[in-house]
Every structure is written in C-alpha cells, then in structure tokens.
Amino acid sequence: KIRKISYELLDSMILKKVGNKKNCSIESETVIESLDSVIPIMVKDSNAGALDAALVCANSYAEYCTGATSAHQAQKIAKVLVKGNALSSSRPSTTKNANSLVLKLMEVGSDGSQSLHLVTEILLTEGTTSRKPKLVSNSANLVLEAAHAFGAPSLPLGILSTGIPKMLAHINPGVRDTALNIIAAVCVAVGSKDPLQKQIDDMKSAQKTQFEELYKKSTLQPPKIGLRSQRIAGSNSPPSLISPEEALAALKTSKKEDEAKRFASRKDVNIFQGIGKTDYSAKIQLPKWSEVVGALNILLELGGEKPYKLAQPSSTVNYNALVSDLRKKLSHTHFAVNSKAMEVLSMFAVGVGEKMYPQLRPLLLPLTDLLKDKKLTVAASNCLDCFFGNVLSFDHLLDKDDSLSIAVNEKKQKNVLARKSTLDFLKRCIERRESAGKRGTLNAENALRVASLASQKLSDTDANARAAAMDILRSLLNSDDDHIVTKVESVV
C-alpha cells in the first residue's frame, strides 16, 4: 500500500511539473534527483495494485521526462518489463499500461529509431522466446503494433530476420499468425518481398498461402503515431506516408546501421584461449582427410558468429603456426580439405583484417592457381573475395611481383579456367570495392593499371578469358568517378 501511494505521489509530481503545457519536456532531475534510476525499479513491483500504479507513473515519465528519451534507458526499462510480471499479467489494466509504456518508450527516443530498435530486439529475443505464453503473444503483438504505429520500415530488419522464423515455428497459432502479419506489413510498406524473402521461402506451404492472402489484401498505410524525433517541431501529427522505394531504402539503411552497431559492441574472439581445450593439434596431423576436416571445423567453431571478429595479432595472439598448417592443407589430395582450409583462411581475413597481410599476401598466387580445379573454383573464388578489401588492396593485386599479372599470363598459367576465373575475381573487386572493406578503394591510377592489364588479355587465345577481360573494361567505364572513366578511356 505504501509503495502504491508513493508511485501515485511521484506521478502527481511529474504531472504538476508539466502543468497545462502541451508538448512539454522536463528534466528528470527536477522531479526527484534519482528518477531515472527509480523508474526501472518501480515497474518490476510484484504486487498487482502497486505495479499498476508504477506503470501509470512510468507512462507519465516516458511522455514528459528527458530521461526516457535515452535509448539505454528505454532498453533498461523494457528488459525489466519482459523479465517481470508487467507484460505477462492476466490483469487487463496491467497489460494495457505495460503495452502503452513499451510503445511510448519506442516513440520518444531522441536518437532516431535507436530506442525502437533496442526495445524491439528485447521483445523478439527475450519476449517471444519466453516460457510464459502470455508474454510470448504479447511481445509478438507489440512488434506488430510498432509496425503500424511507427511504420514497418522503422523496424530493425536484421533483428526481424532472426526473430521471425522462431515465431513462425511457435506452438501458439496466434503467434504464428502475428509473425505473418508482421512480414506482410514490412513487405507492403517497401513494395517488395525481397527484404524477408528467405523467411518467406522457409515457410510451410499453408503459411505461404496465408501470407499471400494477407499480402494481397493489405494496403499501404501511413504510421499511426510516428517517432517523435521525426515530427515537425511543435507538431503532434505523425509523419506523412512515404513511397515504397523510400521505405525500402530506409529499411536497408537501418539494417546496415544496426549491423554496424552490433558488430562494434561485440568483443574480439581469441581462438587461442579455446584451442588448447580441443583436439585440434592431434587431428590436424592425422592422415585421414575427414579427421583433418574435423580439425579445421574446430577452428571455425572457435571463431564464433559471423561476420567474424577475431583478436588482433599480439604477443599472445600469433596466427603464424595456424596459417602454416592451412597453407600445407591447400595442397592436400582431397578437395574437402582444400576447401575447408580456404574457409578458415577466409575467416582470418574477415575477422582479423589488414594485420594478416604478412601471412596471407603470399597465398594470392597459390589461391589463383587452385581456380583451375573445378571442384575448388567456387571455394577459391570465395576465399579471394574475402582477402580483397580486408587484407589486400588493388595495389597488392597489381604488384609487379607475385600478382594477378602473373596469374593471367598465358605463358605462366596454361590453364584457361584459372585465367578466366582470376579475371572474374578482378571484376568482382571492381564491382564490390565500396563494400569489400577498408582496403577496397580504387583510385584513377589503379584503374588505369587494371584497364591496361585487361586490355592485354583481349588477345588471350581463349574466348572466355577475352570476354572476362572485356567485362572488366565495361565495369570500369560504368564507374561514377569521372577520373576513373577518363583514365580507362585513354587505354580503350
């Protein structure tokens, strides 16, 4: 009773501070000094009556106090709501106030859609995976409500992509239906199924039929509420409807931002801390190819989740011995060992980056030589793609010694498939240079060197190699950089 009265008093203090002002924002400390730290404690109250009063107060706090606009604070409160009784209560008033608080925390975030993303992530990763049936269905419904309230393109696509499949497979048919409605809302908003095509493909046949019906009958609607940070100053009106093209672009941008922030927050994985606890050292020396593949799989498992983020080389982190093992396995008699070794080398290139240059640069030509084996062409191509941008730059690819000029030289590389696949690799480097990594930059001088190399290969005796060289020149001429185009035209 005392706690309930205290929460009611605190709510009245907030409302008194606001007075009759509209669109008012007050500093949390002007109510009580520790208000931001008190709110998360209040909303995990175990008493039903006190919890209702706490949620009413928290809603006022979210509506008016600056502390609630912090994405970190929104995340903190959302976690308490999921772990406590607020979102799993069978009491209608509690559910109503808790849901209102979740949506309000999403709405008022000052950092664009960051609060919305963090709260949605908690709902999907902790709410919909809970053992509490009420919490699961409520969390799923809140994600759908958020899609309608703030616009489906505002939702975090990366988190949706991993959370939706679990909802589609849930034992509760209501949760499955909600998942279908969320997918439909996103697809209708962006005018395409592409963002969630994989999740659609993985649906059961009955779900696909149901989804198609939802998709056809759904119409594009503007956000019911909209994020406060995106409204015109002084206006309570939600943002106007944006085109599907703009929505798709926003969704893709949001996904990239979420992935970048999540990647930055992850800790580096030190595989050497776990390798001693495995039988890698013994297996890698065994003659049986399947045992060697098992040893290499151990390294991949130690690398953790993708995209890889491994510890940088130091006095205690030395990749030399492992790379030496892998280089030997590139010449193994079984293609499965070769492919798996290249997969581990790719992990090092992506996970460690440019500091692996001393170990990985000498492997450029051995990898291009492996392109001649049809069983290894795909694996070697993928490995080379991982090297470029992360470890190797255009300067490295175009060196006078041990570079691609040797790999495509008909006198030194007799195999047509190897030459053609190497030229295909160079074309991919041009096309994906902006997304390949820090070392993917192409300047006008290097473009000239690439064009010169490609023009020389127009006289290759093999038609496929000549066609690949022509494709390189086309890619360069299609560049948005006028300096690059001018340099290439001088060669052509």
Side-chain angles (χ1 to χ4, degrees), residues 1 3-4 7 44-53 85 91:
K1 288 182 179 180
R3 291 200 307 275
K4 180 183 177 184
Y7 302 154
K44 64 179 179 182
D45 202 299
S46 58
N47 179 270
L51 178 58
D52 273 358
N85 299 322
R91 188 166 170 162

Side-chain angles (χ1 to χ4, degrees), residues 13-70:
M13 291 171 66
I14 294 173
L15 296 176
K16 184 177 180 181
K17 202 76 178 176
V18 173
N20 296 323
K21 300 174 185 176
K22 293 183 178 180
N23 303 323
C24 177
S25 179
I26 60 174
E27 295 293 331
S28 304
E29 293 78 8
T30 61
V31 181
I32 60 170
E33 187 175 344
S34 56
L35 182 61
D36 290 336
S37 58
V38 167
I39 294 294
I41 298 172
M42 289 169 49
V43 295
K44 64 179 179 182
D45 202 299
S46 58
N47 179 270
L51 178 58
D52 273 358
L55 290 169
V56 170
C57 178
N59 270 282
S60 297
Y61 164 80
E63 179 69 47
Y64 299 113
C65 297
T66 55
T69 65
S70 160

Side-chain angles (χ1 to χ4, degrees), residues 22-186:
K22 293 183 178 180
N23 303 323
C24 177
S25 179
I26 60 174
E27 295 293 331
S28 304
E29 293 78 8
T30 61
V31 181
I32 60 170
E33 187 175 344
S34 56
L35 182 61
D36 290 336
S37 58
V38 167
I39 294 294
I41 298 172
M42 289 169 49
V43 295
K44 64 179 179 182
D45 202 299
S46 58
N47 179 270
L51 178 58
D52 273 358
L55 290 169
V56 170
C57 178
N59 270 282
S60 297
Y61 164 80
E63 179 69 47
Y64 299 113
C65 297
T66 55
T69 65
S70 160
H72 174 72
Q73 179 73 343
Q75 181 186 43
K76 189 175 181 180
I77 295 172
K79 280 188 175 181
V80 172
L81 293 174
V82 168
K83 291 181 179 179
N85 299 322
L87 290 174
S88 57
S89 175
S90 57
R91 188 166 170 162
S93 58
T94 304
T95 301
K96 178 182 177 181
N97 289 325
N99 291 356
S100 173
L101 177 57
V102 169
L103 294 171
K104 185 60 66 174
L105 290 171
M106 294 177 175
E107 175 194 344
V108 302
S110 58
D111 187 13
S113 56
Q114 185 66 8
S115 290
L116 168 61
H117 288 190
L118 291 177
V119 174
T120 302
E121 181 176 9
I122 291 167
L123 292 173
L124 287 172
T125 59
E126 299 182 31
T128 60
T129 59
S130 172
R131 294 183 178 179
K132 300 177 181 178
K134 182 75 174 178
L135 175 58
V136 175
S137 59
N138 205 14
S139 297
N141 287 329
L142 279 168
V143 175
L144 180 59
E145 283 189 53
H148 295 315
F150 311 112
S154 297
L155 296 178
L157 181 58
I159 300 164
L160 276 179
S161 300
T162 55
I164 286 291
K166 296 175 184 177
M167 293 172 61
L168 288 171
H170 200 274
I171 191 173
N172 186 336
V175 174
R176 298 197 298 271
D177 289 346
T178 302
L180 292 172
N181 278 282
I182 293 171
I183 296 174
V186 172

Side-chain angles (χ1 to χ4, degrees), residues 38 48 78 176 242 249 267 271 291 295 308 312 314 330 452 480 492:
V38 167
R176 298 197 298 271
I242 62 174
K267 293 182 179 179
I271 63 175
E291 295 288 358
Y308 296 111
Q312 295 295 303
S314 66
L330 291 179
S452 298
D480 294 329
V492 175

